[in-house]
Amino acid sequence: MTSLTLSTNRFFPRFQGCEEFKITTSKFVNHIGYNKRNVHQSNQSIEMAAASLCSSPNTTTLMANIPTKTKMTNIRCSQQAGSNRITTLTDWQSSCAILTGKVNHSISSLPFPPALTPMDLVPFPKHGCKLRVAYRGVPGAYTEAAAGKAYPDCEPIPCDQFDVVFQAVEQWVADRAILPVENSSGGTVHRNYDLLLRHRLHIVGEIQMSVHHCLLALPGVRKENLTRVISHPQALSQCEHTLTSLGLDVSREAFDDTAGAAEHVAAEMLRDTGVIASVRAAELYGMEILAEGIEDDKSGNVTRFVMLAREPVIPRRDGDFKTSIVFAGEEGPSFLFKVLSALAFRDIRVTKLESRPHKGCPLRQVNDGLRFDYMYYVDFEASMAETRVQNALSEINEYTSFLRLLGSYPMVPTDLKS
């Protein structure tokens, strides 16, 4: 039997011509004899073993040292017979061609691997631990629940600011970030749209989740004892009419986040203060639920979250994809019409259009005075792998002074039950 061992630091981009040795998913590796016991991982390298590629009584040891800018990449192949050394990329590619014939012959009778799903296209970490997902807030926050829905069994990492959420991924403290971008009642979370432009992370997915608010207080406190209610501004706005209908004569004060407000009231033993937060926050911080489902929109208070990563997903032509872009340009009577027409004429459905003041130069001099300059965020349902999308963006680029792709990611159907 032949065993092939690859020990490398991201050598795949250097061997894109070697199609047969592109191992794209663990599912395919399983079909050619993936063995977890042969996997060894150091801080920067992963060693993967593929056994039973072909049958041969001989052993040949092939070693290729391919230099990179800062380190050497070692690729080692073991067979049974004498030993050879490869010193050039050409020799390595020639050896690949020889081995490929044996590999194709030996696996020809194997069934095809199962079809990939959109989530298979999302690059996962290789450190062997749980996926680490950064979110804004403390345990019990709605975003923590969204992280659990998006990535079951992940390790949530709480952050005290949205800026820190981005930095956690950029500095490799976390593998993903998740943040809310809009709510069906409260509208757009503008702060996060501004941060998407400031940082260089990629949108790799989205999830929608129903949010159900509760009125919480310390054990033994009744609604009549409350003089104020604190929570995140979005939660306060989503429960404004319900709080009034409950007959509460209370002031409403903004807090950093919903679960953080519950933690604060519990820690300070504030018996005159109520909190709008989740059932999980009540359980974590020992508070009583005075009223459940106090959101104004009883038909469905839905929040949309996006997931971010350091690397983009691989766009595909099959399956449902969404693409997000941001652009700016010289304002004119037909500027926005031209941009949207480039999508409409190609039957590309726009799902969101959002404008934000241009942070770099919010005001622009025109003949009759100063006017605001804007950045436009657009979501549309299509994949960057499609020719029509590539042509549309090429046309849009002609009309704009700035154009950036935020992400092209799978639209995974989401159950809105919380």
Side-chain angles (χ1 to χ4, degrees):
M1 301 295 289
T2 303
S3 87
L4 173 65
T5 303
L6 303 178
S7 175
T8 179
N9 262 340
R10 299 183 179 178
F11 68 93
F12 295 106
R14 309 205 71 179
F15 295 97
Q16 291 183 0
C18 231
E19 298 293 337
E20 297 80 359
F21 282 82
K22 287 182 180 178
I23 302 175
T24 57
T25 65
S26 61
K27 293 184 178 179
F28 178 76
V29 177
N30 287 333
H31 280 292
I32 62 172
Y34 177 55
N35 187 343
K36 290 184 178 178
R37 289 176 300 177
N38 291 330
V39 176
H40 171 73
Q41 175 183 346
S42 61
N43 289 334
Q44 294 293 330
S45 67
I46 299 174
E47 190 171 289
M48 302 172 59
S52 302
L53 296 182
C54 59
S55 57
S56 172
N58 298 324
T59 290
T60 305
T61 302
L62 306 177
M63 176 68 72
N65 294 323
I66 311 299
T68 63
K69 291 181 180 178
T70 58
K71 64 193 95 166
M72 297 289 281
T73 299
N74 296 325
I75 303 173
R76 184 174 61 254
C77 298
S78 318
Q79 293 180 12
Q80 295 191 11
S83 71
N84 267 334
R85 268 189 199 276
I86 296 179
T87 58
T88 67
L89 179 59
T90 303
D91 293 337
W92 167 250
Q93 291 174 329
S94 300
S95 300
C96 284
I98 296 172
L99 291 176
T100 299
K102 298 178 182 179
V103 172
N104 290 339
H105 177 73
S106 64
I107 67 172
S108 59
S109 60
L110 291 177
F112 286 107
L116 296 178
T117 66
M119 292 310 295
D120 291 323
L121 304 176
V122 182
F124 275 79
K126 300 177 181 179
H127 46 64
C129 303
K130 287 185 177 181
L131 189 78
R132 300 164 300 182
V133 182
Y135 69 95
R136 164 73 169 81
V138 299
Y142 293 108
T143 310
E144 182 197 35
K149 285 181 70 74
Y151 302 108
D153 299 322
C154 70
E155 178 188 348
I157 299 178
C159 304
D160 60 355
Q161 298 293 334
F162 282 122
D163 264 318
V164 179
V165 173
F166 283 82
Q167 292 168 11
V169 179
E170 291 170 337
Q171 298 175 13
W172 295 77
V173 175
D175 305 299
R176 298 285 185 278
I178 185 167
L179 62 153
V181 289
E182 61 180 324
N183 176 267
S184 58
S185 301
T188 299
V189 184
H190 296 114
R191 169 67 172 163
N192 289 337
Y193 272 92
D194 294 338
L195 290 173
L196 283 173
L197 186 59
R198 182 182 301 176
H199 295 268
R200 301 299 298 182
L201 298 182
H202 304 271
I203 301 177
V204 296
E206 65 173 7
I207 187 174
Q208 299 178 18
M209 188 180 76
S210 291
V211 174
H212 301 290
H213 295 298
C214 301
L215 179 62
L216 312 180
L218 291 176
V221 175
R222 303 176 60 183
K223 288 186 289 186
E224 295 78 13
N225 304 133
L226 301 178
T227 60
R228 64 171 183 162
V229 173
I230 65 174
S231 191
H232 188 273
Q234 282 271 353
L236 290 172
S237 67
Q238 293 166 18
C239 304
E240 181 179 1
H241 298 300
T242 304
L243 289 177
T244 301
S245 66
L246 290 175
L248 299 178
D249 184 18
V250 295
S251 61
R252 300 162 193 183
E253 300 178 14
F255 204 82
D256 287 342
D257 67 280
T258 55
E263 181 185 42
H264 172 70
V265 171
E268 301 296 328
M269 297 297 293
L270 303 176
R271 301 189 65 81
D272 64 340
T273 304
V275 175
I276 298 175
S278 64
V279 173
R280 173 167 161 76
E283 297 170 350
L284 288 175
Y285 304 110
M287 303 191 72
E288 281 188 359
I289 299 176
L290 302 182
E292 285 192 67
I294 63 172
E295 60 275 2
D296 294 335
D297 188 357
K298 306 298 183 183
S299 61
N301 180 38
V302 181
T303 298
R304 175 176 168 242
F305 300 84
V306 295
M307 290 85 80
L308 308 174
R310 290 178 293 273
E311 300 176 355
V313 298
I314 305 172
R316 293 279 295 269
R317 293 186 180 181
D318 55 332
D320 297 327
F321 269 71
K322 179 181 285 188
T323 300
S324 299
I325 61 174
V326 57
F327 59 87
E330 293 294 330
E331 292 288 346
S334 60
F335 164 68
L336 196 55
F337 170 79
K338 291 177 181 177
V339 171
L340 297 179
S341 294
L343 300 171
F345 291 160
R346 293 172 174 87
D347 294 324
I348 298 175
R349 181 172 179 262
V350 174
T351 59
K352 185 176 179 62
L353 172 62
E354 183 80 23
S355 63
R356 296 287 295 150
H358 197 306
K359 294 293 184 181
C361 47
L363 296 175
R364 178 167 49 91
Q365 181 70 45
V366 293
N367 294 334
D368 53 351
L370 295 175
R371 291 187 182 178
F372 275 95
D373 240 347
Y374 294 95
M375 305 289 294
Y376 295 94
Y377 295 82
V378 173
D379 294 345
F380 54 85
E381 293 180 353
S383 169
M384 272 300 299
E386 299 180 56
T387 303
R388 59 173 181 156
V389 174
Q390 297 168 12
N391 291 338
L393 293 187
S394 178
E395 181 179 342
I396 291 173
N397 192 47
E398 298 177 2
Y399 307 139
T400 60
S401 59
F402 169 80
L403 173 63
R404 177 177 158 192
L405 175 68
L406 297 175
S408 188
Y409 44 94
M411 296 170 54
V412 181
T414 304
D415 184 3
L416 294 182
K417 294 181 181 179
S418 59

